[in-house]
């Protein structure tokens, strides 16, 4: 009795298809016809729509998807996957919270800057501090190289030869010079064989060809190092920084050395075409003219201009310095020639292979010492020119 009354009291809603009026009817009247009270349309009462039933309070609300009925064989994998998803979500939330609001910060920075500039319009701006100290002088590391031959200056010249780069280049050039001397002497020996044969001429030709090729290489490197030592001492550099140059740059530097020898030996070459005996005394003129011509070429930065007013006028303004230079280089040439003659006298031409290398060491070492003293002479000329320019500037300031 109770179940039947409860079923007959159930109701549900139906909608009129004409006027869309929602009507509440008894569920037991399903299938009967009724009249819509608003429009009078006769409609048939349909069955109620099925609704999702909410779980009861006794049921587990968290298990709305019925996961408890699923097989427990993959619980560990699902748990690990869930933990990974949760950690990834927490990471993204944390990154979003820590991410700065860049557009707001930039705008605030510009507003703050405009505010400060508006306040400090009348305040003079502080000058930018220099990156280097005010009293910094790039020439402070340079040293003086006067043309003096005191024990102190001579010991400094000897100390320059302790440079590893200089020693390596000395050995390298000595080997090339020794081979050139050996080939040149053998070329003369084979040429003067009596009676001459075809093989002696060919041997002389081969030695001549090799001596020219190796001699060109030796002159290129020797001229380049000669110029570097002269310019370094003239600039006041006590510590050599040997540059790594290409062969073309070395040839261009060696041209100054070759051009200086060419202009210095022009008188000797002209007279030697007439009589070699008369031309030998003119070698002294070449010895005097070479340093002037070489420094003039460097001053004019041209291999065809062996004249520089500053260098030539220094002959009259620094006469004592030039005399000291010529005397020192004369004794240097005598020393190199004397040691070479002693080697030849005691060893003889038969032991040429043994004396070629010592002779090469003497020749290259003598030219390096000559270049250092020539650099000292150039330093004296530069110092004199600097004093004259300073005196001229002070005179102009005083006149103003």
């Amino acid at each position: 009795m109770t179940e039947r009354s409860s079923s007959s009291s159930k109701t549900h809603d139906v909608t009129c298809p004409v006027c869309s009026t929602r009507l509440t009817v008894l569920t037991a009247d399903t299938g009967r016809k009724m009249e819509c009270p608003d429009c009078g349309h006769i409609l048939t009462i349909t069955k109620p729509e099925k609704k999702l039933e909410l779980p009861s309070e006794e049921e587990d609300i968290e298990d709305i998807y019925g996961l408890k009925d699923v097989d427990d064989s993959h619980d560990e994998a699902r748990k690990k996957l869930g933990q990974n998803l949760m950690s990834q979500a927490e990471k993204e939330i944390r990154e979003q919270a820590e991410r700065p609001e860049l557009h707001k910060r930039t705008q605030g920075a510009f507003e703050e800057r405009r505010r400060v500039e508006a306040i400090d319009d009348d305040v003079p701006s502080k000058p930018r501090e220099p990156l280097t100290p005010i009293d910094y002088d790039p020439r402070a590391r340079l040293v003086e190289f006067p043309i003096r031959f005191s024990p102190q200056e001579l010991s400094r010249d000897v100390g320059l030869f302790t440079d590893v780069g200089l020693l390596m280049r000395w050995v390298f050039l000595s080997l090339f010079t020794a081979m050139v001397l050996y080939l040149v002497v053998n070329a003369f020996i084979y040429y003067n064989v009596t009676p001459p044969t075809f093989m002696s001429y060919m041997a002389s030709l081969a030695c001549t060809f090799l001596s020219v090729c190796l001699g060109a290489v030796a002159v290129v490197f020797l001229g380049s190092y000669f110029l570097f030592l002269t310019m370094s001492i003239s600039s006041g550099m006590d510590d050599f920084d040997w540059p790594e140059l290409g062969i073309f740059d070395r040839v261009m530097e060696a041209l100054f050395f070759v051009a200086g020898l060419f202009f210095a030996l022009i008188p000797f070459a002209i007279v030697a075409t007439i009589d070699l005996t008369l031309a030998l005394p003119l070698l002294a003129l070449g010895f005097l003219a070479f340093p002037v011509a070489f420094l003039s070429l460097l001053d004019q930065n041209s291999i065809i201009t062996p004249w520089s007013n500053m260098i030539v006028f220094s002959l009259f303004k620094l006469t004592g310095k030039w005399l000291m230079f010529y005397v020192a280089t004369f004794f240097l040439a005598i020393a190199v020639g004397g040691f070479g003659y002693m080697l030849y006298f005691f060893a003889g031409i038969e032991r040429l292979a043994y004396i070629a290398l010592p002779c090469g060491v003497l020749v290259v070492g003598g030219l390096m010492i000559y270049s250092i003293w020539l650099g000292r002479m150039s330093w004296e000329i530069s110092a004199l020119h600097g004093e004259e320019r300073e005196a001229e500037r002070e005179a102009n300031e005083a006149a103003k």
Side-chain angles (χ1 to χ4, degrees):
M1 184 70 178
T2 307
E3 293 179 0
R4 187 178 300 173
S5 61
S6 61
S7 61
S8 61
S9 63
K10 287 184 178 181
T11 60
H12 67 277
D13 294 338
V14 294
T15 305
C16 177
V18 177
C19 63
S20 300
T21 301
R22 178 168 293 184
L23 304 174
T24 301
V25 298
L26 294 174
T27 305
D29 294 335
T30 302
R32 294 182 180 181
K33 295 183 181 294
M34 66 172 295
E35 182 180 356
C36 178
D38 291 339
C39 63
H41 176 71
I42 303 300
L43 57 92
T44 303
I45 300 174
T46 58
K47 295 180 179 181
E49 297 180 357
K50 293 183 179 181
K51 298 182 180 179
L52 294 176
E53 297 182 357
L54 296 176
S56 62
E57 296 180 358
E58 297 179 356
E59 296 179 355
D60 190 359
I61 299 179
E62 296 181 357
D63 192 24
I64 59 177
Y65 299 103
L67 296 179
K68 289 185 177 181
D69 298 333
V70 182
D71 187 10
D72 297 336
S73 59
H74 302 291
D75 284 350
E76 190 65 29
R78 286 193 295 269
K79 183 178 180 181
K80 187 174 181 180
L81 177 61
Q83 291 176 352
N84 292 337
L85 292 175
M86 290 297 295
S87 61
Q88 183 67 23
E90 291 177 356
K91 181 179 179 181
E92 292 180 358
I93 293 173
R94 187 169 55 253
E95 290 179 354
Q96 290 290 338
E98 295 177 355
R99 181 176 296 174
E101 297 177 350
L102 298 179
H103 65 285
K104 293 184 179 180
R105 291 195 176 188
T106 305
Q107 182 179 1
F110 278 102
E111 291 177 354
E112 184 67 21
R113 184 175 180 181
R114 294 192 192 98
R115 191 179 301 112
V116 173
E117 291 178 353
I119 295 174
D120 298 341
D121 285 341
D122 299 334
V123 179
S125 60
K126 183 179 179 181
R128 184 177 181 180
E129 296 182 359
L131 299 178
T132 55
I134 298 177
D135 56 349
Y136 173 76
D137 183 8
R139 296 179 59 87
R141 297 178 57 187
L142 302 181
V143 296
E144 297 182 356
F145 281 105
I147 187 76
R148 289 197 301 265
F149 296 96
S150 61
Q152 180 181 0
E153 298 299 331
L154 291 176
S155 63
R156 184 194 290 186
D157 293 342
V158 174
L160 294 176
F161 278 82
T162 60
D163 181 76
V164 177
L166 180 60
L167 291 175
M168 292 177 59
R169 286 160 176 79
W170 188 5
V171 173
F172 166 74
L173 286 176
S174 298
L175 292 174
F176 266 86
T177 306
M179 288 188 288
V180 172
L181 291 175
Y182 182 80
L183 292 172
V184 168
V185 173
N186 277 281
F188 278 103
I189 292 175
Y190 286 119
Y191 182 77
N192 294 320
V193 170
T194 53
T197 61
F198 176 77
M199 293 302 299
S200 65
Y201 281 123
M202 292 302 297
S204 176
L205 179 63
C207 290
T208 302
F209 176 77
L210 292 176
S211 63
V212 170
C213 294
L214 293 178
V217 176
V219 169
V220 167
F221 283 92
L222 183 61
S224 177
Y225 298 150
F226 188 92
L227 184 145
F228 173 78
L229 288 174
T230 302
M231 296 300 295
S232 298
I233 299 300
S234 175
S235 303
M237 296 174 57
D238 194 15
D239 187 13
F240 298 139
D241 186 12
W242 297 90
E244 296 296 332
L245 303 177
I247 188 63
F248 178 77
D249 295 329
R250 295 197 181 278
V251 170
M252 296 304 296
E253 290 184 351
L255 286 179
F256 286 92
F257 179 76
V258 175
L261 286 176
F262 174 78
F263 288 115
L265 296 177
I266 286 179
F268 168 79
I270 293 175
V271 179
T273 57
I274 303 173
D275 189 349
L276 182 60
T277 305
L278 295 176
L280 289 177
L282 295 179
L283 287 175
L285 181 60
F287 174 78
L288 297 175
F290 172 75
V292 178
F294 183 74
L295 294 181
S296 297
L297 293 174
L298 294 181
D299 182 55
Q300 297 295 323
N301 196 23
S302 172
I303 60 174
I304 59 174
T305 312
W307 178 274
S308 172
N309 293 333
M310 183 177 67
I311 302 300
V312 174
F313 290 162
S314 68
L315 293 171
F316 304 98
K317 297 179 180 180
L318 297 173
T319 306
K321 301 290 184 179
W322 275 105
L323 287 176
M324 191 180 302
F325 169 78
Y326 281 125
V327 170
T329 52
F330 174 76
F331 281 108
L332 176 64
I334 293 297
V336 172
F339 279 111
Y341 179 77
M342 289 176 59
L343 291 172
Y344 170 76
F345 179 78
F346 288 106
I349 198 67
E350 295 82 6
R351 297 180 176 84
L352 177 63
Y354 299 98
I355 65 176
L357 182 58
C359 289
V361 172
L362 285 174
V363 172
V364 176
L367 285 174
M368 286 185 172
I369 296 175
Y370 185 92
S371 65
I372 291 175
W373 289 351
L374 184 59
R376 285 181 174 273
M377 191 66 239
S378 179
W379 185 91
E380 292 280 1
I381 298 173
S382 299
L384 175 64
H385 185 63
E387 293 176 357
E388 291 179 348
R389 292 180 60 183
E390 184 67 23
E392 183 180 357
R393 186 171 66 254
E394 290 179 355
N396 293 335
E397 293 178 355
K400 292 179 181 180

